[in-house]
């Protein structure tokens, strides 16, 4: 049984507020699942039929045969590029499938081109999604399996794919770095693998190729145009040529099924390197059901709630050892377990709290004392090798004369410093709002969380929509006044509504996930399993560098 104080909230599941919250979250999840199904279709039924006509499986069919039966798959970046590239017909899931799954019992990262989406061509977001998958593999020492079936760079957008440090060429650099660090990489060429993309398989540790696939720097048409030589795809770079003549391919396979079976066999021979020093015991289920999260989390983002009630639905045995519970109460910090792993929790408290001096503090706001408490707690977790999990629902840091006099900037800088320099794995879940510098202090994307998940209720930006819309309206109004123009009340309201609609769209979790600011949008009920899988991945990296911080403003 996990140690710690038992969290035992009294939950009235028949209460109108609980049922209303539950209905609202379920509606969001219904909409999310519908969008997910649409994205999972890739290029659609006709494109899948064309793939089948070539004797090939689709990316998701390949994944199904590759992964261990009845094992879970944590898909990452499903919403990548959603709503983008519409002028080119869109690129569902950025034309590549990425995620964590088990192959022959090993947890691995899978990167599979979806040939039903523009022949698997690389859009700008495709490159960024593959790079994110490789970064996760590097940070967690996850073996990587690439299922290649790609026409290469999407030429109309080549200037946004080709040259920079977060573009296509970085993929091959990462191949080299992963290999140098002893992280196994397996590549299966299961269709087209042309031009610069041809370097990817050859820079990995194992190379497989199915018959009928093509691996070459230039295809038949380009070769004829460049040097006048006529050659078929098979003659230029077929499986037999590379397996028997060039010596580039390690295993020639007759079809997808044999190729995927071979990968499973190869992965099954991998050794078991040392694991991380993080403590893990036998897991225990929470005393409360994960389904209760739907009713506990409010539909109205302005409504208060007790964050400890959410933790009771997530932590092993619903047990939590809270750190300084009566001090800096707008941040809840403490120790618990997830899937048996010891973790440190940093969570925004969304209900108002009362200090010892009787002053009331707003929920979801970081005050000087709560920032100082969290900074010290994070340092303790680094000293003790305890991974950190951040739960966001934050409006930002407190402002005003009293907050400035109490050193809010100094305290906030201290918290940002220790988050930035933290060396234990950091996992982030955005539950509701994540605004301004509060997003940074709670380990937002810029602060290197190993994984960043979001609920469908998540929103984040520099500030909330209403405040931002009013600020932008004021700026626009003053600009027009300088030009001698004055807006009527109706015109001001119309402009305000337009600004607010645009801004609100940009704060949604789908918008962030489309740009890979979020690794995955997850349901409240899937949160615990997603975090446990992330911790299992993090535990594969045994290297924890020394914890050091720079100058702290004390």
């Amino acid at each position: 049984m996990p140690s710690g104080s038992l969290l035992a909230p009294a939950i009235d599941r028949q209460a109108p507020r609980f049922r209303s919250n539950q209905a609202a979250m379920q509606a969001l999840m219904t909409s999310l699942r519908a969008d997910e199904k649409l994205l999972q279709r890739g290029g659609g039924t006709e494109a899948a039929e064309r793939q089948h006509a070539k004797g090939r499986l689709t990316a998701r069919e390949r994944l199904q045969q590759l992964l261990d039966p009845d094992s879970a798959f944590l898909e990452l970046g499903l919403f990548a590029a959603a709503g983008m590239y519409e002028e080119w017909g869109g690129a569902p899931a950025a034309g590549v499938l990425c995620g964590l799954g088990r192959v022959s019992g090993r947890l691995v990262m899978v990167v599979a081109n979806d040939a039903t989406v523009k022949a698997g061509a690389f859009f700008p977001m495709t490159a960024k999604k593959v790079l994110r998958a490789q970064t996760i593999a590097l940070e967690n020492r996850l073996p990587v399996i690439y299922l290649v079936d790609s026409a290469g760079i999407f030429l109309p957008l080549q200037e946004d794919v080709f040259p920079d440090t977060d573009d296509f060429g970085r993929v091959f650099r990462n191949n080299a770095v992963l290999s140098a660090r002893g992280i196994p990489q397996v590549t299966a060429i299961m269709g087209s693998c042309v031009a610069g993309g041809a370097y990817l398989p050859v820079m990995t540790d194992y190379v497989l190729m199915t018959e009928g696939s093509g691996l070459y720097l230039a295809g038949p048409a380009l070769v004829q145009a460049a040097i006048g030589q006529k050659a078929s795809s098979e003659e230029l770079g077929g499986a037999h040529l590379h397996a028997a003549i060039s010596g580039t391919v390690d295993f020639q396979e007759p079809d997808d099924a044999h190729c995927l079976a071979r990968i499973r066999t190869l992965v099954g021979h991998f050794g078991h390197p040392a694991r991380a020093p993080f403590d893990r015991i036998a897991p225990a289920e929470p005393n409360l059901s994960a389904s209760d999260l739907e009713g506990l989390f409010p539909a109205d983002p302005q409504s208060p709630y007790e964050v400890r009630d959410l933790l009771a639905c997530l932590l092993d045995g619903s047990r939590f050892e809270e750190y300084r519970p009566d001090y800096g109460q707008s941040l809840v910090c403490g120790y618990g377990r997830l899937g048996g792993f010891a973790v440190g929790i940093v969570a925004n408290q969304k209900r108002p709290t009362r200090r010892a001096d009787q002053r009331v503090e707003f929920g979801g706001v970081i005050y000087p004392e709560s920032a100082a408490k969290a900074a010290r707690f994070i340092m303790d977790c680094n000293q003790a090798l305890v991974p950190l999990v951040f739960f966001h629902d934050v409006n930002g840091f407190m402002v005003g004369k009293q907050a400035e006099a109490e050193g809010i900037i100094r305290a906030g800088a201290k918290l940002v410093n220790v988050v930035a320099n933290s060396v234990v794995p950091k996992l982030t879940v955005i539950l509701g709002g994540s605004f301004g510098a509060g997003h940074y202090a709670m380990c937002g994307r810029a602060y290197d969380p190993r994984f960043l998940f979001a609920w469908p209720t998540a929103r984040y930006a520099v500030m909330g929509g209403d405040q931002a819309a009013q600020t932008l309206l004021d700026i626009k109004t003053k600009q027009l006044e300088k030009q001698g123009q004055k807006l009527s009340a109706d015109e001001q309201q119309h402009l305000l509504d337009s600004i607010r609609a645009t801004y609100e769209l940009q704060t949604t979790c789908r918008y962030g996930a489309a740009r890979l600011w979020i690794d995955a949008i997850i349901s409240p009920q899937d949160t615990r399993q997603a975090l446990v899988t992330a911790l299992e991945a993090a535990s594969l990296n045994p290297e924890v560098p020394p914890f050091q911080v720079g100058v702290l403003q004390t």
Side-chain angles (χ1 to χ4, degrees), residues 107 119 287 314-315 322 339 357 374 406 471 503 521 534:
L107 189 63
N287 291 345
L314 296 169
L315 297 176
E322 188 163 357
D357 61 7
E406 291 177 348
T471 301
Y503 195 89
I521 304 173

Side-chain angles (χ1 to χ4, degrees), residues 348 390-394 428-434 438-439 442-444:
N348 297 113
F390 295 82
F391 292 98
H392 290 217
D393 198 348
V394 58
T428 295
V429 184
I430 303 177
L431 309 176
S434 188
H439 175 74
M442 293 294 291
C443 195

Side-chain angles (χ1 to χ4, degrees), residues 293-312:
L293 290 166
E294 296 178 342
L296 292 170
F297 192 81
D300 180 1
Q302 304 303 322
S303 294
Y305 63 90
E306 171 57 72
V307 73
R308 295 179 187 87
D309 293 352
L310 305 187
L311 297 180

Side-chain angles (χ1 to χ4, degrees), residues 88-375:
W88 303 106
V96 64
L97 191 159
C98 300
L100 272 62
R102 293 196 177 275
V103 175
S104 297
R106 271 74 165 182
L107 189 63
V108 302
M109 173 66 75
V110 180
V111 178
N113 298 116
D114 185 350
T116 70
V117 179
K118 301 293 187 295
F122 270 67
F123 286 75
M125 290 307 301
T126 314
K128 289 176 174 56
K129 183 171 174 179
V130 174
L131 291 174
R132 177 58 185 155
Q134 289 181 320
T135 298
I136 291 172
L138 276 166
E139 291 176 338
N140 300 287
R141 291 190 173 273
L142 283 162
V144 188
I145 297 173
Y146 305 93
L147 306 181
V148 178
D149 194 350
S150 171
I153 288 175
F154 186 66
L155 289 177
L157 297 176
Q158 65 85 25
E159 77 276 13
D160 296 321
V161 185
F162 173 66
D164 213 341
T165 54
D166 60 349
D167 288 338
F168 190 58
R170 189 78 170 185
V171 172
F172 316 130
R173 176 264 184 196
N174 286 351
N175 288 141
V177 172
L178 281 157
S179 185
R181 294 186 185 175
I183 302 170
Q185 298 174 91
V186 180
T187 300
I189 303 162
M190 309 180 80
S192 296
C193 186
V194 301
Y199 287 106
L200 185 151
V202 185
M203 297 192 72
T204 62
D205 306 309
Y206 303 83
V207 185
L208 300 84
M209 188 171 181
T210 58
E211 294 172 7
S213 297
L215 171 66
Y216 29 66
L217 292 180
L222 184 56
V223 167
Q224 184 172 359
I227 63 174
Q229 185 181 78
K230 291 185 178 181
S232 68
S233 176
E234 186 65 29
E235 291 170 330
L236 270 179
H240 176 72
L241 179 137
H242 285 304
I245 300 173
S246 77
T248 303
V249 168
D250 303 320
F251 299 94
Q252 177 182 343
E253 304 296 341
D255 52 33
D256 284 12
H258 285 83
C259 186
L260 295 167
R262 177 85 69 177
I263 294 172
R264 290 183 51 78
T265 301
L266 291 171
V267 173
H269 285 90
F270 289 175
H272 297 274
R275 299 179 76 89
F278 313 127
D279 187 63
R280 190 181 194 185
I281 62 174
E285 290 297 313
N287 291 345
L288 296 180
S289 170
S291 63
D292 287 333
L293 290 166
E294 296 178 342
L296 292 170
F297 192 81
D300 180 1
Q302 304 303 322
S303 294
Y305 63 90
E306 171 57 72
V307 73
R308 295 179 187 87
D309 293 352
L310 305 187
L311 297 180
C313 302
L314 296 169
L315 297 176
D316 287 15
S318 301
R319 292 188 174 272
F320 183 56
E321 200 70 53
E322 188 163 357
Y323 176 82
R324 297 187 186 180
D326 299 319
Y327 181 77
Q329 297 176 66
S330 70
L331 278 175
V332 172
C333 303
Y335 302 98
R337 290 186 182 272
L338 281 164
F341 286 101
V343 292
I345 303 292
V346 181
N348 297 113
Q349 176 60 279
K350 279 292 289 208
R351 65 170 179 78
T353 56
R354 189 179 297 276
R355 292 169 32 136
D357 61 7
Q358 299 304 303
R359 194 169 82 200
V360 174
E361 294 184 337
F362 299 110
V365 177
I366 301 176
Y367 289 81
E369 69 274 14
S370 51
K373 176 179 85 170

Side-chain angles (χ1 to χ4, degrees), residues 77 79-80 84 125 128 132 428 430 439 443-446 449 451-454 460-461 505-521:
F79 281 84
M84 302 171 68
M125 290 307 301
K128 289 176 174 56
R132 177 58 185 155
T428 295
I430 303 177
H439 175 74
C443 195
R445 170 63 88 211
F451 296 87
L452 193 154
F453 303 117
Y460 64 114
L505 172 66
Q506 294 173 354
T507 67
T508 64
C509 59
R510 282 174 172 80
Y511 190 91
R515 287 147 186 83
L516 292 175
W517 305 337
I518 294 167
D519 290 318
I521 304 173

